[in-house]
Amino acid sequence: MLKMAANKNKDNLGEMPVTTLQGVGPRNAERLERLGISSVQDLLFHLPSRYQDRTRIVPIGSLRPGEQVVVEGEIELNDVKYGRRRSLLVQITDGSGSLILRFFHFSAVQKGNLVRGVRLRCFGEVRRGPTALELIHPEYSRLDDSDEHAVEETLTPIYPTTEGMHQLSWRSMTERALAMLDEQPELLQEWLPPELLERYNLPALLESLRFLHRPPPDAPQHLLLEGAHPAQRRLAFEELLAHQISLRKLRHEQRRTAAPILDGETQLKAALLASLPFMLTAAQQRVVAEISTDLKQQHPMMRLVQGDVGSGKTVVAALAAIQAVEAGHQVVLMAPTELLAEQHLRNFQGWLEPLGVKVAWLTGRHKGKKREQILATLADGSADVVVGTHALFQGDVQFHALGLAIIDEQHRFGVHQRLALREKGAEKGRVPHQLIMTATPIPRTLAMSAYADLDLSVIDELPPGRKPVATVVIPDSRRDEVISRVRSACKAGRQAYWVCTLIEESEALQCQAAEDTAALLTESLPELSVGLVHGRLKASEKEQIMLDFKAGKLDLLVATTVIEVGVDVPNASLMIIENPERLGLAQLHQLRGRVGRGSAESHCLLMYHLLSERARERLSTMRATNDGFVIAQKDLELRGPGEVLGTRQTGEMQLRIADLIHHQPLLPEVQQAAEIILEHYPDHAQPLVKRWLGQKTEYGAV
Ligand code: ADP
Ligand code: MG
């Protein structure tokens, strides 16, 4: 099977390029690369998404609509029908009944071949036709009397694919890879010790792979489709384990590096607290204390602060910043968008500059001379705090003495970027402390897995006096009423958001929808000033509009979901969300968090177009609660995959087989198993990480 018999240097499937397999040339290798498959091992970890049963020939007389089946029969009739669409109809029978094969595209040759008396084997999905059961465009082959025609011995795997790769190629590639393993099972090491396999009731690796690529005819397809088969669980388990181990190692390394001890005066901190127009909530106080203790250690803090929208994370960040500044160090605060960076800048300036702290700012907009000037203040230490965006990651940004990096809404940044920032601050072998803030409520077990390299603080309390946003679910046939509601709110001096949503379609369509809506609303509400923001505007245009809205120059802001994160306009007390049925609960919650920030009673109108039973249930959760954690939990139950962590976050973990939501019940076991491996089988740790994270492991070594 191998082109080169036993290549001694490549004694491991993970190192063996796919081109080692016969029939896989550079063209296919390139296509596979698009799916992240470069080694034979990657190929085997690319699992079928479903299966077909071609193991049995089903008697025509017993067919039911909806089944995918193999049938055999002899052609009785062949006819071309000229209806709305020209089609070739071929009727076959096997004695138990007859069936029509319908082709919309066919050639003269094909028609000439499919004549009375010819025997066929067909595969397709049974549909109910006008007169009889039909197969539309079945796969078929001619049977000759002389030959034996075997049916498939296993279920037929259907692989997720990419352009130019046919299912037949997938089958032959995986066939070859499996055959190679038959000959040399040692090519794929079992890294889970028998002790663990037994304890967690997991089948062996090789057995699992073979099963999933070629399930026996009686395999439980419903379990396979749900990803709940033990063979799938086994692979998911190993993958999650590899991630867990890598994050734990990362955490270990962290704890071994040195960080500046940020333990100085506390006068400025006290002055900042005294100057605030409010008292910190108990939750804020607790988290501030946790951070403060961390900053005084000689190892870098790596802390994730979770707090629902509006829980007051910014002031917590400012208190951390001032501790670093009082200890003679610099602080960088990074936000995912210019808009948010700007907002933080203004908060920080307002709080810190009166205390003599110098706050600078750097975004992609700062160019040339201006940029150089800013960079100089960072490098010579005359700026104490710098607020900005991705621009802060750039190579020429140097600090005099960076002590603390704060990252807001971290899911927009990856682990790598975080680490890059950390490297920046490294002075005399010391790396800055890191504080990461997110508004996405993540259930604890999930957080402990996705962020096993971080400590977790939760601000689980909103400032007092917040009135929950009253939420109503309303059909879009009542749009006129909704519009008059906007009119009266704005006449009373309040402001409103109108959010247009379209998911799974292009950003261009989404912007178009927002533009149309804005035009319509401008026409219906001539007495109001209406603004529009969407993703296709330049950052500076977007920002100007947001600033105008913040300053009260605009009454109504029509927007796409770009306003989802962090924007704070307390005077806005009404939000309309169009087609909320298309969004996940977590996202709706984030959006709704834009209102209810001031003293006025706030309202959110979820204006739906069509509600399924499920969507109704989801929206009623929004009506029933304002608590981000409750909503996240509900989301998990109702929507499952992707929604709670958000694709941005799951994307960070780059899971191939496991799914953090679906396999959540495995997580406690995975954590336990990681401990066992690290303690008793340390030699297995690195190969496991390498197998599943491959090149992405270099960060484990920093
Ligand atoms: P988020 O956690 O969503 O980032 P912010 O930091 O933007 O929340 O805070 C939301 C609003 O609440 C801001 O206007 C902030 O000044 C205010 N705030 C923060 N903490 C308190 C508090 N303890 N009491 C009253 N208001 C507070
Ligand atoms: Mg915020």
PDB file of all heavy atoms in Angstrom, residues 278-281 284 307-315 343-344 347 351 408-409 439 459 463-464 466 566 568 570 594 597, ligand 1:
ATOM      1  N   PHE A 278     -20.211  56.706  42.347  1.00  0.00           N
ATOM      2  CA  PHE A 278     -20.964  55.560  42.866  1.00  0.00           C
ATOM      3  C   PHE A 278     -20.062  54.715  43.756  1.00  0.00           C
ATOM      4  O   PHE A 278     -18.850  54.896  43.763  1.00  0.00           O
ATOM      5  CB  PHE A 278     -21.529  54.708  41.731  1.00  0.00           C
ATOM      6  CG  PHE A 278     -20.515  54.368  40.656  1.00  0.00           C
ATOM      7  CD1 PHE A 278     -19.534  53.412  40.882  1.00  0.00           C
ATOM      8  CD2 PHE A 278     -20.550  55.008  39.413  1.00  0.00           C
ATOM      9  CE1 PHE A 278     -18.607  53.097  39.906  1.00  0.00           C
ATOM     10  CE2 PHE A 278     -19.612  54.699  38.434  1.00  0.00           C
ATOM     11  CZ  PHE A 278     -18.646  53.746  38.671  1.00  0.00           C
ATOM     12  N   MET A 279     -20.675  53.812  44.498  1.00  0.00           N
ATOM     13  CA  MET A 279     -19.930  52.844  45.297  1.00  0.00           C
ATOM     14  C   MET A 279     -19.760  51.586  44.454  1.00  0.00           C
ATOM     15  O   MET A 279     -20.677  51.204  43.735  1.00  0.00           O
ATOM     16  CB  MET A 279     -20.740  52.437  46.536  1.00  0.00           C
ATOM     17  CG  MET A 279     -21.018  53.548  47.513  1.00  0.00           C
ATOM     18  SD  MET A 279     -19.616  53.703  48.621  1.00  0.00           S
ATOM     19  CE  MET A 279     -19.839  52.206  49.611  1.00  0.00           C
ATOM     20  N   LEU A 280     -18.631  50.915  44.596  1.00  0.00           N
ATOM     21  CA  LEU A 280     -18.488  49.644  43.891  1.00  0.00           C
ATOM     22  C   LEU A 280     -19.490  48.643  44.466  1.00  0.00           C
ATOM     23  O   LEU A 280     -19.780  48.669  45.665  1.00  0.00           O
ATOM     24  CB  LEU A 280     -17.076  49.086  44.088  1.00  0.00           C
ATOM     25  CG  LEU A 280     -15.921  49.856  43.474  1.00  0.00           C
ATOM     26  CD1 LEU A 280     -14.643  49.029  43.603  1.00  0.00           C
ATOM     27  CD2 LEU A 280     -16.175  50.183  42.009  1.00  0.00           C
ATOM     28  N   THR A 281     -19.974  47.781  43.613  1.00  0.00           N
ATOM     29  CA  THR A 281     -20.824  46.697  44.125  1.00  0.00           C
ATOM     30  C   THR A 281     -19.925  45.710  44.872  1.00  0.00           C
ATOM     31  O   THR A 281     -18.693  45.725  44.700  1.00  0.00           O
ATOM     32  CB  THR A 281     -21.509  45.932  42.979  1.00  0.00           C
ATOM     33  OG1 THR A 281     -20.494  45.340  42.147  1.00  0.00           O
ATOM     34  CG2 THR A 281     -22.378  46.843  42.139  1.00  0.00           C
ATOM     35  N   GLN A 284     -17.882  43.770  42.442  1.00  0.00           N
ATOM     36  CA  GLN A 284     -16.752  44.537  41.908  1.00  0.00           C
ATOM     37  C   GLN A 284     -15.621  44.586  42.939  1.00  0.00           C
ATOM     38  O   GLN A 284     -14.456  44.387  42.603  1.00  0.00           O
ATOM     39  CB  GLN A 284     -17.186  45.968  41.547  1.00  0.00           C
ATOM     40  CG  GLN A 284     -17.935  46.068  40.225  1.00  0.00           C
ATOM     41  CD  GLN A 284     -18.523  47.465  40.029  1.00  0.00           C
ATOM     42  OE1 GLN A 284     -19.065  48.056  40.972  1.00  0.00           O
ATOM     43  NE2 GLN A 284     -18.438  47.987  38.816  1.00  0.00           N
ATOM     44  N   GLY A 307     -18.268  39.291  33.321  1.00  0.00           N
ATOM     45  CA  GLY A 307     -19.316  40.075  33.954  1.00  0.00           C
ATOM     46  C   GLY A 307     -20.337  40.413  32.904  1.00  0.00           C
ATOM     47  O   GLY A 307     -19.987  40.806  31.794  1.00  0.00           O
ATOM     48  N   ASP A 308     -21.567  40.259  33.260  1.00  0.00           N
ATOM     49  CA  ASP A 308     -22.654  40.509  32.330  1.00  0.00           C
ATOM     50  C   ASP A 308     -22.570  41.937  31.791  1.00  0.00           C
ATOM     51  O   ASP A 308     -21.919  42.789  32.391  1.00  0.00           O
ATOM     52  CB  ASP A 308     -23.972  40.307  33.091  1.00  0.00           C
ATOM     53  CG  ASP A 308     -25.089  39.875  32.154  1.00  0.00           C
ATOM     54  OD1 ASP A 308     -24.933  40.008  30.919  1.00  0.00           O
ATOM     55  OD2 ASP A 308     -26.112  39.404  32.666  1.00  0.00           O
ATOM     56  N   VAL A 309     -23.230  42.176  30.687  1.00  0.00           N
ATOM     57  CA  VAL A 309     -23.249  43.533  30.139  1.00  0.00           C
ATOM     58  C   VAL A 309     -23.734  44.495  31.224  1.00  0.00           C
ATOM     59  O   VAL A 309     -24.722  44.228  31.898  1.00  0.00           O
ATOM     60  CB  VAL A 309     -24.172  43.663  28.910  1.00  0.00           C
ATOM     61  CG1 VAL A 309     -23.483  43.155  27.683  1.00  0.00           C
ATOM     62  CG2 VAL A 309     -25.472  42.914  29.115  1.00  0.00           C
ATOM     63  N   GLY A 310     -23.002  45.591  31.387  1.00  0.00           N
ATOM     64  CA  GLY A 310     -23.419  46.607  32.345  1.00  0.00           C
ATOM     65  C   GLY A 310     -23.023  46.318  33.779  1.00  0.00           C
ATOM     66  O   GLY A 310     -23.381  47.061  34.691  1.00  0.00           O
ATOM     67  N   SER A 311     -22.253  45.266  34.010  1.00  0.00           N
ATOM     68  CA  SER A 311     -21.892  44.935  35.391  1.00  0.00           C
ATOM     69  C   SER A 311     -20.757  45.823  35.904  1.00  0.00           C
ATOM     70  O   SER A 311     -20.403  45.751  37.077  1.00  0.00           O
ATOM     71  CB  SER A 311     -21.509  43.459  35.504  1.00  0.00           C
ATOM     72  OG  SER A 311     -20.388  43.180  34.706  1.00  0.00           O
ATOM     73  N   GLY A 312     -20.183  46.643  35.024  1.00  0.00           N
ATOM     74  CA  GLY A 312     -19.161  47.581  35.481  1.00  0.00           C
ATOM     75  C   GLY A 312     -17.755  47.019  35.471  1.00  0.00           C
ATOM     76  O   GLY A 312     -17.007  47.131  36.442  1.00  0.00           O
ATOM     77  N   LYS A 313     -17.359  46.474  34.330  1.00  0.00           N
ATOM     78  CA  LYS A 313     -16.010  45.915  34.219  1.00  0.00           C
ATOM     79  C   LYS A 313     -14.966  47.021  34.022  1.00  0.00           C
ATOM     80  O   LYS A 313     -13.825  46.880  34.434  1.00  0.00           O
ATOM     81  CB  LYS A 313     -15.949  44.921  33.049  1.00  0.00           C
ATOM     82  CG  LYS A 313     -16.801  43.680  33.276  1.00  0.00           C
ATOM     83  CD  LYS A 313     -16.679  42.670  32.158  1.00  0.00           C
ATOM     84  CE  LYS A 313     -17.358  43.091  30.875  1.00  0.00           C
ATOM     85  NZ  LYS A 313     -18.814  43.192  30.979  1.00  0.00           N
ATOM     86  N   THR A 314     -15.392  48.106  33.380  1.00  0.00           N
ATOM     87  CA  THR A 314     -14.410  49.133  33.017  1.00  0.00           C
ATOM     88  C   THR A 314     -13.746  49.740  34.246  1.00  0.00           C
ATOM     89  O   THR A 314     -12.530  49.930  34.278  1.00  0.00           O
ATOM     90  CB  THR A 314     -15.087  50.243  32.195  1.00  0.00           C
ATOM     91  OG1 THR A 314     -15.991  49.633  31.281  1.00  0.00           O
ATOM     92  CG2 THR A 314     -14.068  51.040  31.428  1.00  0.00           C
ATOM     93  N   VAL A 315     -14.538  50.014  35.250  1.00  0.00           N
ATOM     94  CA  VAL A 315     -13.957  50.660  36.431  1.00  0.00           C
ATOM     95  C   VAL A 315     -13.045  49.672  37.168  1.00  0.00           C
ATOM     96  O   VAL A 315     -12.025  50.063  37.750  1.00  0.00           O
ATOM     97  CB  VAL A 315     -15.066  51.258  37.328  1.00  0.00           C
ATOM     98  CG1 VAL A 315     -15.893  50.183  38.007  1.00  0.00           C
ATOM     99  CG2 VAL A 315     -14.461  52.187  38.365  1.00  0.00           C
ATOM    100  N   GLN A 343     -14.281  54.738  23.649  1.00  0.00           N
ATOM    101  CA  GLN A 343     -15.110  54.833  24.836  1.00  0.00           C
ATOM    102  C   GLN A 343     -14.274  54.610  26.106  1.00  0.00           C
ATOM    103  O   GLN A 343     -14.420  55.337  27.086  1.00  0.00           O
ATOM    104  CB  GLN A 343     -16.186  53.768  24.716  1.00  0.00           C
ATOM    105  CG  GLN A 343     -17.309  53.891  25.683  1.00  0.00           C
ATOM    106  CD  GLN A 343     -18.426  52.939  25.274  1.00  0.00           C
ATOM    107  OE1 GLN A 343     -19.104  53.150  24.282  1.00  0.00           O
ATOM    108  NE2 GLN A 343     -18.587  51.874  26.025  1.00  0.00           N
ATOM    109  N   HIS A 344     -13.407  53.616  26.045  1.00  0.00           N
ATOM    110  CA  HIS A 344     -12.535  53.369  27.197  1.00  0.00           C
ATOM    111  C   HIS A 344     -11.605  54.544  27.434  1.00  0.00           C
ATOM    112  O   HIS A 344     -11.329  54.930  28.564  1.00  0.00           O
ATOM    113  CB  HIS A 344     -11.679  52.124  26.960  1.00  0.00           C
ATOM    114  CG  HIS A 344     -12.432  50.846  27.135  1.00  0.00           C
ATOM    115  ND1 HIS A 344     -13.365  50.660  28.113  1.00  0.00           N
ATOM    116  CD2 HIS A 344     -12.385  49.688  26.451  1.00  0.00           C
ATOM    117  CE1 HIS A 344     -13.857  49.437  28.030  1.00  0.00           C
ATOM    118  NE2 HIS A 344     -13.288  48.827  27.015  1.00  0.00           N
ATOM    119  N   ASN A 347     -13.401  57.201  29.298  1.00  0.00           N
ATOM    120  CA  ASN A 347     -13.574  56.829  30.698  1.00  0.00           C
ATOM    121  C   ASN A 347     -12.267  56.962  31.468  1.00  0.00           C
ATOM    122  O   ASN A 347     -12.219  57.556  32.540  1.00  0.00           O
ATOM    123  CB  ASN A 347     -14.056  55.379  30.815  1.00  0.00           C
ATOM    124  CG  ASN A 347     -15.558  55.276  30.646  1.00  0.00           C
ATOM    125  OD1 ASN A 347     -16.302  56.146  31.098  1.00  0.00           O
ATOM    126  ND2 ASN A 347     -16.012  54.240  29.971  1.00  0.00           N
ATOM    127  N   TRP A 351     -11.315  59.463  34.542  1.00  0.00           N
ATOM    128  CA  TRP A 351     -10.998  58.978  35.885  1.00  0.00           C
ATOM    129  C   TRP A 351      -9.557  59.244  36.296  1.00  0.00           C
ATOM    130  O   TRP A 351      -9.266  59.557  37.432  1.00  0.00           O
ATOM    131  CB  TRP A 351     -11.250  57.458  35.957  1.00  0.00           C
ATOM    132  CG  TRP A 351     -12.696  57.062  35.977  1.00  0.00           C
ATOM    133  CD1 TRP A 351     -13.721  57.762  36.560  1.00  0.00           C
ATOM    134  CD2 TRP A 351     -13.268  55.877  35.426  1.00  0.00           C
ATOM    135  NE1 TRP A 351     -14.902  57.085  36.393  1.00  0.00           N
ATOM    136  CE2 TRP A 351     -14.656  55.919  35.707  1.00  0.00           C
ATOM    137  CE3 TRP A 351     -12.759  54.785  34.721  1.00  0.00           C
ATOM    138  CZ2 TRP A 351     -15.538  54.908  35.302  1.00  0.00           C
ATOM    139  CZ3 TRP A 351     -13.623  53.786  34.331  1.00  0.00           C
ATOM    140  CH2 TRP A 351     -15.007  53.847  34.610  1.00  0.00           C
ATOM    141  N   ASP A 408     -10.104  43.781  26.550  1.00  0.00           N
ATOM    142  CA  ASP A 408     -11.552  43.803  26.725  1.00  0.00           C
ATOM    143  C   ASP A 408     -12.210  42.958  25.637  1.00  0.00           C
ATOM    144  O   ASP A 408     -11.742  42.905  24.519  1.00  0.00           O
ATOM    145  CB  ASP A 408     -12.060  45.246  26.630  1.00  0.00           C
ATOM    146  CG  ASP A 408     -13.515  45.355  27.103  1.00  0.00           C
ATOM    147  OD1 ASP A 408     -14.001  44.426  27.776  1.00  0.00           O
ATOM    148  OD2 ASP A 408     -14.155  46.372  26.794  1.00  0.00           O
ATOM    149  N   GLU A 409     -13.318  42.320  25.992  1.00  0.00           N
ATOM    150  CA  GLU A 409     -14.089  41.518  25.045  1.00  0.00           C
ATOM    151  C   GLU A 409     -13.163  40.551  24.334  1.00  0.00           C
ATOM    152  O   GLU A 409     -13.021  40.548  23.135  1.00  0.00           O
ATOM    153  CB  GLU A 409     -14.807  42.414  24.023  1.00  0.00           C
ATOM    154  CG  GLU A 409     -15.660  43.498  24.642  1.00  0.00           C
ATOM    155  CD  GLU A 409     -16.836  42.968  25.454  1.00  0.00           C
ATOM    156  OE1 GLU A 409     -17.084  41.750  25.439  1.00  0.00           O
ATOM    157  OE2 GLU A 409     -17.477  43.783  26.125  1.00  0.00           O
ATOM    158  N   ALA A 439     -17.857  39.806  28.361  1.00  0.00           N
ATOM    159  CA  ALA A 439     -19.248  39.939  28.777  1.00  0.00           C
ATOM    160  C   ALA A 439     -20.027  38.685  28.440  1.00  0.00           C
ATOM    161  O   ALA A 439     -21.202  38.576  28.729  1.00  0.00           O
ATOM    162  CB  ALA A 439     -19.895  41.131  28.076  1.00  0.00           C
ATOM    163  N   ILE A 459     -18.035  38.872  37.991  1.00  0.00           N
ATOM    164  CA  ILE A 459     -18.810  39.979  38.577  1.00  0.00           C
ATOM    165  C   ILE A 459     -20.276  39.590  38.404  1.00  0.00           C
ATOM    166  O   ILE A 459     -20.858  39.766  37.335  1.00  0.00           O
ATOM    167  CB  ILE A 459     -18.533  41.317  37.859  1.00  0.00           C
ATOM    168  CG1 ILE A 459     -17.034  41.600  37.807  1.00  0.00           C
ATOM    169  CG2 ILE A 459     -19.264  42.458  38.563  1.00  0.00           C
ATOM    170  CD1 ILE A 459     -16.679  42.937  37.153  1.00  0.00           C
ATOM    171  N   PRO A 463     -24.906  46.894  39.135  1.00  0.00           N
ATOM    172  CA  PRO A 463     -25.012  48.055  40.028  1.00  0.00           C
ATOM    173  C   PRO A 463     -26.466  48.262  40.436  1.00  0.00           C
ATOM    174  O   PRO A 463     -27.371  47.947  39.662  1.00  0.00           O
ATOM    175  CB  PRO A 463     -24.521  49.210  39.160  1.00  0.00           C
ATOM    176  CG  PRO A 463     -23.630  48.585  38.149  1.00  0.00           C
ATOM    177  CD  PRO A 463     -24.208  47.231  37.889  1.00  0.00           C
ATOM    178  N   PRO A 464     -26.683  48.769  41.634  1.00  0.00           N
ATOM    179  CA  PRO A 464     -28.051  48.927  42.123  1.00  0.00           C
ATOM    180  C   PRO A 464     -28.827  49.925  41.271  1.00  0.00           C
ATOM    181  O   PRO A 464     -28.242  50.781  40.609  1.00  0.00           O
ATOM    182  CB  PRO A 464     -27.859  49.468  43.541  1.00  0.00           C
ATOM    183  CG  PRO A 464     -26.483  50.047  43.560  1.00  0.00           C
ATOM    184  CD  PRO A 464     -25.684  49.257  42.586  1.00  0.00           C
ATOM    185  N   ARG A 466     -30.451  49.484  38.609  1.00  0.00           N
ATOM    186  CA  ARG A 466     -30.693  49.129  37.208  1.00  0.00           C
ATOM    187  C   ARG A 466     -32.092  48.570  37.086  1.00  0.00           C
ATOM    188  O   ARG A 466     -32.459  47.657  37.824  1.00  0.00           O
ATOM    189  CB  ARG A 466     -29.715  48.056  36.745  1.00  0.00           C
ATOM    190  CG  ARG A 466     -28.336  48.520  36.526  1.00  0.00           C
ATOM    191  CD  ARG A 466     -28.187  49.246  35.200  1.00  0.00           C
ATOM    192  NE  ARG A 466     -26.998  50.081  35.251  1.00  0.00           N
ATOM    193  CZ  ARG A 466     -25.782  49.625  35.081  1.00  0.00           C
ATOM    194  NH1 ARG A 466     -25.597  48.366  34.806  1.00  0.00           N
ATOM    195  NH2 ARG A 466     -24.762  50.418  35.155  1.00  0.00           N
ATOM    196  N   GLY A 566     -20.447  46.267  23.807  1.00  0.00           N
ATOM    197  CA  GLY A 566     -19.874  47.317  24.645  1.00  0.00           C
ATOM    198  C   GLY A 566     -20.314  48.769  24.561  1.00  0.00           C
ATOM    199  O   GLY A 566     -19.979  49.538  25.427  1.00  0.00           O
ATOM    200  N   ASP A 568     -21.917  52.233  25.065  1.00  0.00           N
ATOM    201  CA  ASP A 568     -22.595  52.726  26.258  1.00  0.00           C
ATOM    202  C   ASP A 568     -23.237  54.092  25.998  1.00  0.00           C
ATOM    203  O   ASP A 568     -22.558  55.107  25.959  1.00  0.00           O
ATOM    204  CB  ASP A 568     -21.551  52.816  27.390  1.00  0.00           C
ATOM    205  CG  ASP A 568     -22.187  53.060  28.742  1.00  0.00           C
ATOM    206  OD1 ASP A 568     -23.362  52.680  28.922  1.00  0.00           O
ATOM    207  OD2 ASP A 568     -21.510  53.636  29.614  1.00  0.00           O
ATOM    208  N   PRO A 570     -26.248  55.868  27.760  1.00  0.00           N
ATOM    209  CA  PRO A 570     -27.274  55.708  28.796  1.00  0.00           C
ATOM    210  C   PRO A 570     -28.637  56.311  28.435  1.00  0.00           C
ATOM    211  O   PRO A 570     -29.661  55.844  28.926  1.00  0.00           O
ATOM    212  CB  PRO A 570     -26.668  56.426  30.008  1.00  0.00           C
ATOM    213  CG  PRO A 570     -25.199  56.432  29.752  1.00  0.00           C
ATOM    214  CD  PRO A 570     -25.033  56.490  28.276  1.00  0.00           C
ATOM    215  N   ARG A 594     -27.502  47.050  25.324  1.00  0.00           N
ATOM    216  CA  ARG A 594     -27.226  48.444  24.929  1.00  0.00           C
ATOM    217  C   ARG A 594     -28.220  49.399  25.570  1.00  0.00           C
ATOM    218  O   ARG A 594     -27.981  50.586  25.623  1.00  0.00           O
ATOM    219  CB  ARG A 594     -27.279  48.636  23.405  1.00  0.00           C
ATOM    220  CG  ARG A 594     -26.355  47.784  22.578  1.00  0.00           C
ATOM    221  CD  ARG A 594     -24.935  47.931  22.970  1.00  0.00           C
ATOM    222  NE  ARG A 594     -24.475  46.698  23.547  1.00  0.00           N
ATOM    223  CZ  ARG A 594     -23.734  46.605  24.635  1.00  0.00           C
ATOM    224  NH1 ARG A 594     -23.353  47.660  25.275  1.00  0.00           N
ATOM    225  NH2 ARG A 594     -23.366  45.444  25.083  1.00  0.00           N
ATOM    226  N   ARG A 597     -29.256  51.262  30.513  1.00  0.00           N
ATOM    227  CA  ARG A 597     -28.022  51.697  31.155  1.00  0.00           C
ATOM    228  C   ARG A 597     -28.213  53.009  31.890  1.00  0.00           C
ATOM    229  O   ARG A 597     -27.318  53.474  32.570  1.00  0.00           O
ATOM    230  CB  ARG A 597     -26.938  51.865  30.097  1.00  0.00           C
ATOM    231  CG  ARG A 597     -26.772  50.597  29.319  1.00  0.00           C
ATOM    232  CD  ARG A 597     -25.591  50.650  28.394  1.00  0.00           C
ATOM    233  NE  ARG A 597     -24.970  49.340  28.441  1.00  0.00           N
ATOM    234  CZ  ARG A 597     -23.709  49.113  28.733  1.00  0.00           C
ATOM    235  NH1 ARG A 597     -22.903  50.105  28.974  1.00  0.00           N
ATOM    236  NH2 ARG A 597     -23.251  47.893  28.769  1.00  0.00           N
TER     237      ARG A 597
HETATM  238  P1  ADP B   1     -19.549  46.565  31.195  1.00  0.00           P
HETATM  239  O1  ADP B   1     -19.296  45.597  32.287  1.00  0.00           O
HETATM  240  O2  ADP B   1     -20.668  46.147  30.311  1.00  0.00           O
HETATM  241  O3  ADP B   1     -18.303  46.923  30.438  1.00  0.00           O
HETATM  242  P2  ADP B   1     -19.403  49.294  32.014  1.00  0.00           P
HETATM  243  O4  ADP B   1     -18.080  49.203  32.649  1.00  0.00           O
HETATM  244  O5  ADP B   1     -19.490  49.944  30.684  1.00  0.00           O
HETATM  245  O6  ADP B   1     -20.071  47.861  31.931  1.00  0.00           O
HETATM  246  O7  ADP B   1     -20.386  49.968  33.056  1.00  0.00           O
HETATM  247  C1  ADP B   1     -21.698  50.299  32.695  1.00  0.00           C
HETATM  248  C2  ADP B   1     -22.127  51.570  33.386  1.00  0.00           C
HETATM  249  O8  ADP B   1     -22.281  51.359  34.784  1.00  0.00           O
HETATM  250  C3  ADP B   1     -21.141  52.688  33.221  1.00  0.00           C
HETATM  251  O9  ADP B   1     -21.843  53.864  32.958  1.00  0.00           O
HETATM  252  C4  ADP B   1     -20.441  52.725  34.586  1.00  0.00           C
HETATM  253  O10 ADP B   1     -19.940  53.998  34.892  1.00  0.00           O
HETATM  254  C5  ADP B   1     -21.544  52.336  35.526  1.00  0.00           C
HETATM  255  N1  ADP B   1     -21.125  51.695  36.777  1.00  0.00           N
HETATM  256  C6  ADP B   1     -20.083  50.851  36.936  1.00  0.00           C
HETATM  257  N2  ADP B   1     -20.017  50.424  38.221  1.00  0.00           N
HETATM  258  C7  ADP B   1     -21.047  50.988  38.881  1.00  0.00           C
HETATM  259  C8  ADP B   1     -21.514  50.936  40.238  1.00  0.00           C
HETATM  260  N3  ADP B   1     -20.912  50.187  41.157  1.00  0.00           N
HETATM  261  N4  ADP B   1     -22.603  51.655  40.550  1.00  0.00           N
HETATM  262  C9  ADP B   1     -23.232  52.398  39.606  1.00  0.00           C
HETATM  263  N5  ADP B   1     -22.834  52.498  38.328  1.00  0.00           N
HETATM  264  C10 ADP B   1     -21.766  51.809  37.950  1.00  0.00           C
END
